[in-house]
Amino acid sequence: KDAPVKKITPKKVVEKKERILGIDPGFGRIGFGVIEKNNNNNWKVVGYGCIETSPQREFIDRLDDLHKILKKVIKKYNPTRSAVEDLFFAKNVKTAIKVAQARGVILLTLRLADLEIDEFTPLQIKQTIVGYGRAEKRQVQEMLKINLNMKEKPKQDDAADALAVALTCGVSLKMKGLL
């Protein structure tokens, strides 16, 4: 006598959506933007904003605040990877050093959250978003509005820059065949 045939239902494979956290580094105001692929295979905005640290606090305390708040942003948005803008400074060395230290805190916080980190220069970001590496901020913001199907441009430059970093990462992943 044959054993009864058991119906085996294949498990549904749930593909985790790529969700990218973009960061525009700083120490007074740090922009963040989160995007993810929608069902039409286009990028959509999940959230964005700025982390602000108080100039009344000691610099080391501001770095600690940045770390703690960025951890909360990561927990809230649950990104699958991250992207950070590379620094570019021509003038104020003292400010550049502080921003570089804050960027180190940002990179470490992202690494401790087990996120992949991609880094892009301002030139690469503008080239990707606008098609011209010397584009103006308003041009980048207008293209973000179009490409991310936003009703209006982000009001804070730092948040817009962070969304541009995230979108550059998404385009880069697609070009590399990773999406």
Side-chain angles (χ1 to χ4, degrees):
K1 198 172 176 184
D2 290 335
V5 176
K6 241 182 166 178
K7 183 178 179 187
I8 300 173
T9 308
K11 289 184 179 180
K12 186 177 181 183
V13 177
V14 178
E15 204 175 296
K16 190 173 183 184
K17 287 186 176 182
E18 192 73 61
R19 183 176 277 199
I20 302 169
L21 168 62
I23 303 281
D24 178 38
F27 65 91
R29 180 181 291 151
I30 301 90
F32 71 89
V34 183
I35 62 171
E36 97 178 351
K37 283 275 196 176
N38 65 19
N39 293 335
N40 297 329
N41 213 24
N42 294 316
W43 292 102
K44 71 171 186 168
V45 175
V46 177
Y48 61 90
C50 289
I51 297 169
E52 297 194 26
T53 64
S54 172
Q56 279 73 46
R57 293 181 44 85
E58 293 292 323
F59 182 67
I60 192 69
D61 295 323
R62 293 174 83 180
L63 294 177
D64 187 45
D65 294 343
L66 168 57
H67 170 70
K68 289 174 181 169
I69 297 168
L70 183 55
K71 280 178 26 178
K72 289 179 182 176
V73 168
I74 292 167
K75 185 174 182 179
K76 178 179 180 178
Y77 291 106
N78 196 26
T80 56
R81 73 182 309 119
S82 63
V84 181
E85 183 174 350
D86 262 339
L87 297 180
F88 173 78
F89 282 94
K91 305 177 202 164
N92 192 332
V93 174
K94 191 174 181 181
T95 300
I97 290 170
K98 286 189 173 187
V99 174
Q101 290 172 321
R103 190 172 182 279
V105 169
I106 291 165
L107 292 172
L108 181 59
T109 303
L110 296 170
R111 176 57 71 211
L112 291 174
D114 291 324
L115 291 172
E116 292 287 328
I117 304 167
D118 293 297
E119 299 177 66
F120 301 96
T121 66
L123 190 79
Q124 289 172 309
I125 294 164
K126 291 174 181 180
Q127 181 70 43
T128 301
I129 304 300
V130 180
Y132 175 58
R134 306 252 184 256
E136 295 176 24
K137 277 195 183 289
R138 64 176 177 74
Q139 292 171 304
V140 173
Q141 291 174 354
E142 190 59 40
M143 290 307 294
L144 280 175
K145 182 182 165 199
I146 293 166
N147 288 317
L148 295 174
N149 199 24
M150 300 172 75
K151 289 184 172 86
E152 60 184 354
K153 296 183 278 190
K155 293 189 183 1
Q156 296 170 308
D157 286 347
D158 303 286
D161 290 350
L163 285 169
V165 175
L167 185 56
T168 298
C169 181
V171 170
S172 174
L173 291 173
K174 187 171 183 178
M175 290 173 64
K176 292 177 185 173
L178 299 174
L179 281 182

